[in-house]
Amino acid sequence: MDDKKRFSELALRAVYTGQPRFTRFLDPAMERDALAAARDAGAQLTFFGGYEGAERRMAAFYDGEAPECFPIAALALRWNPKFADAKHRDLLGAVMGLGLERDATGDICLSDRPGAAYLFCTEDVAGYIMGSLESAGRASLKIDRAEELRIAPPEGESLRVTVQNLRLDAVLAAGCRLSRAEAQRLIAAGLVKRNHLPEERGDVRLEPGDLISARGLGRLRVDEIQGETRKGRIGLVLFRYGK
């Protein structure tokens, strides 16, 4: 069964039974199909990936009250940083080496404490991961259920810029130090994403919390809209990811 049919079936079941139905972890681009299935079935839809700001998330179709819990396990991965280090790529490679389907796992996030990270996965594979994942790179791992989440903040810098309006092309140009024409060319070429999904409309209006990525130029997040300046422009606070 392809994704669209599966989403449609889950949405219809949620409406007919009154019980929420959950997908597995979705790539951001798949969320559009889930939204369309919910709309067609008359269901409501919410997404969650185990923590606020997750990139890979489950969808929950429901009718009535939104579900309070998702079938997501948060696993704490720990190693001794005195002897070895485990980078994000090491952890992801080790998890993928277990032979799991990609939709069984969500994000992997480093902790704000050394020698620790978090893996979000479906409940049905949590026990297998805990019993099978022994190392990542040269680091030996200890795995258990996370009692609390202390996710490290992303690396980057806060920028204050001013723009003529809140259009995508204007904000991209300001945040990446491009001309407006250069930003428009990137968008038209399909090289820009908004909230993880391709966006080819340069005139789309941005809101606080929106994520923008441009291939080869990194990622931006709209943190705050500060209002109009004396010169009639709009003040923004952006976060630019990266060291």
Side-chain angles (χ1 to χ4, degrees):
M1 182 183 299
D2 64 28
D3 291 328
K4 292 182 180 180
K5 290 182 178 179
R6 179 161 49 90
F7 295 157
S8 178
E9 182 177 299
L10 290 172
L12 289 170
R13 285 183 180 179
V15 172
Y16 291 154
T17 66
Q19 299 296 319
R21 292 292 185 267
F22 301 92
T23 67
R24 295 170 79 77
F25 286 98
L26 305 180
D27 288 324
M30 297 169 66
E31 293 187 3
R32 281 184 175 172
D33 292 335
L35 287 165
R39 182 176 61 249
D40 292 344
Q44 298 183 72
L45 182 66
T46 187
F47 298 98
F48 186 56
Y51 69 102
E52 185 177 353
E55 180 170 339
R56 291 177 58 80
R57 305 185 294 181
M58 286 185 180
F61 299 96
Y62 65 97
D63 185 31
E65 294 187 4
E68 295 183 359
C69 298
F70 278 64
I72 295 174
L75 303 183
L77 315 180
R78 297 186 176 88
W79 61 93
N80 191 332
K82 294 181 180 180
F83 300 108
D85 195 13
K87 304 294 186 184
H88 183 277
R89 63 178 178 271
D90 300 319
L91 297 167
L92 179 60
V95 172
M96 292 297 96
L98 297 177
L100 296 169
E101 296 292 336
R102 186 65 181 99
D103 62 5
T105 58
D107 290 356
I108 297 174
C109 304
L110 296 178
S111 170
D112 64 0
R113 292 173 290 190
Y118 303 102
L119 166 65
F120 298 89
C121 63
T122 57
E123 280 286 357
D124 60 340
V125 302
Y128 172 70
I129 292 174
M130 294 173 68
S132 304
L133 187 60
E134 299 179 347
S135 63
R138 294 191 295 174
S140 296
L141 299 179
K142 177 182 178 183
I143 308 174
D144 49 31
R145 297 267 181 170
E147 296 182 358
E148 64 173 341
L149 297 179
R150 293 184 50 176
I151 296 172
E155 293 183 325
E157 61 178 333
S158 185
L159 306 174
R160 189 184 184 283
V161 300
T162 62
V163 293
Q164 184 176 358
N165 51 55
L166 295 174
R167 288 169 46 123
L168 172 61
D169 52 8
V171 176
L172 177 64
C176 293
R177 299 186 176 93
L178 305 171
S179 70
R180 188 78 169 264
E182 288 173 321
Q184 290 170 343
R185 283 195 291 271
L186 288 171
I187 295 167
L191 301 179
V192 176
K193 294 182 179 180
R194 180 173 69 96
N195 297 330
H196 312 297
L197 298 174
E199 180 59 78
E200 296 183 4
R201 297 175 300 157
D203 61 350
V204 67
R205 178 185 171 90
L206 299 183
E207 302 288 345
D210 279 349
L211 292 171
I212 310 166
S213 62
R215 191 177 303 173
L217 295 174
R219 293 194 300 162
L220 300 167
R221 183 182 68 220
V222 181
D223 278 351
E224 185 181 351
I225 299 175
Q226 296 186 318
E228 193 170 305
T229 68
R230 292 181 179 179
K231 295 183 178 181
R233 293 173 66 82
I234 300 172
L236 292 179
V237 177
L238 306 176
F239 183 82
R240 182 162 60 195
Y241 291 83
K243 294 183 179 180

